[in-house]
Amino acid sequence: MTSSPATVRVSGPPRIPPLPPSEWPASLRSLLADSQKDGAGRVNLFGTLAHHPALAHAWLSLARVLTHEGTLGDRRRELVVLRTAHRLGGTFVHERHRTPATEAGLTPEEILATAAAPDAHPWTDEERALLATCDLLADNSTVPDVLWHHLARFLSSEQLIELLVLAGQTAAMATTLGVLRTPSDDAGAGRPHLTVRLDRERCCGTGQCAGAAPQVFEQSDTDGRVTLLVPEPDPKYTDDVRVATDLCPSGAITLMDAT
């Protein structure tokens, strides 16, 4: 089975530029604040979907169910997402899921192997069946009875349905973001460090910054105003801090980039 991407992501400026968080509907901001544990790399994804709020809410709600209420298990889920994204040229999705995959127990070698030929890594029999299913679906092929019965040996009916929906949802996301040329949030090495300044006297106590970046801001139970916990946060929180800044209605937060 080939491991080459079925499509190639076209480079160039985004066809529909992501909206800044200040222009997102409240429901979308709430979804972002509620998904902090999903990691960084969501700002341009949410900003792109913000052009269609009703669809964004439905799409991201499905993604949240698959991620937090799914029955496949974290490792299986991330294998399916990474393999499907690779096969469909979904650079954004593949890069976005490297951190969740690591948290799900995949090693760096295994993450790389999801973009290689199946026999390039000693996958378990179960994992080979999952990868083979992703390859067939990416090729718009059916799943033969032999493979289906094999999957059914270790997956319940609920999990089999979830497998197909997960692969389809990943394919839709990879295709949509690829065609729209949605840029990544540039998380990772080389990102400038931020220095955060908070004018507590200007804080109006909405607490949106604490919701967007709880590792950096905390809302006081005494006066409702926000306290700055970390003036120079870890670069992995850069996206969250920028969102928090955009959401602040009083302009109490100032960011300074430093290399």
Side-chain angles (χ1 to χ4, degrees):
M1 186 75 63
T2 178
S3 66
S4 300
T7 59
V8 178
R9 181 170 176 171
V10 180
S11 60
R15 286 172 164 158
I16 300 179
L19 293 174
S22 58
E23 297 181 25
W24 297 356
S27 60
L28 200 56
R29 296 182 190 177
S30 177
L31 277 175
L32 180 64
D34 289 344
S35 63
Q36 295 300 314
K37 61 183 177 181
D38 293 341
R42 298 159 294 148
V43 175
N44 284 338
L45 164 61
F46 278 52
T48 296
L49 296 180
H51 287 278
H52 194 327
L55 178 60
H57 192 276
W59 195 344
L60 295 170
S61 294
L62 172 59
R64 185 165 58 179
V65 169
L66 291 170
T67 301
H68 301 298
E69 300 176 32
T71 61
L72 279 174
D74 294 346
R75 181 179 174 86
R76 290 172 178 163
R77 183 192 66 240
E78 295 305 321
L79 280 174
V80 171
V81 170
L82 289 173
R83 185 63 174 184
T84 302
H86 162 68
R87 287 301 314 279
L88 295 176
T91 305
F92 185 110
V93 177
H94 200 280
E95 292 178 352
R96 166 74 182 82
H97 274 264
R98 289 182 182 181
T99 296
T102 299
E103 294 172 349
L106 273 73
T107 66
E109 293 75 18
E110 288 174 328
I111 292 174
L112 289 175
T114 62
D119 58 359
H121 182 80
W123 300 108
T124 66
D125 187 53
E126 173 184 316
E127 291 167 344
R128 285 180 179 275
L130 290 173
L131 296 176
T133 301
C134 293
D135 287 345
L136 287 168
L137 296 175
D139 290 335
N140 198 28
S141 299
T142 188
V143 177
D145 287 342
V146 172
L147 178 55
W148 182 260
H149 292 317
H150 184 54
L151 290 169
R153 294 176 186 173
F154 57 85
L155 296 180
S156 66
S157 296
E158 183 179 26
Q159 291 172 326
L160 287 167
I161 294 172
E162 186 177 321
L163 166 62
L164 300 178
V165 173
L166 175 63
Q169 195 266 355
T170 303
M173 184 68 74
T175 300
T176 299
L177 298 179
V179 172
L180 293 180
R181 302 173 185 164
T182 300
S184 69
D185 293 349
D186 296 322
R191 164 171 290 184
H193 286 265
L194 285 180
T195 297
V196 185
R197 295 287 181 264
L198 173 67
D199 185 344
R200 202 167 185 275
E201 294 303 315
R202 293 183 63 180
C203 176
C204 59
T206 64
Q208 294 193 74
C209 61
Q215 305 86 352
V216 181
F217 304 99
E218 182 178 64
Q219 189 169 21
S220 171
D221 293 331
T222 303
D223 61 8
R225 294 183 179 181
V226 172
T227 299
L228 179 62
L229 300 177
V230 187
E232 296 184 3
D234 189 295
K236 68 182 179 181
Y237 298 130
T238 294
D239 291 335
D240 294 337
V241 173
R242 292 194 187 281
V243 170
T245 303
D246 287 335
L247 294 179
C248 178
S250 62
I253 304 171
T254 302
L255 304 182
M256 293 181 288
D257 291 297
T259 57

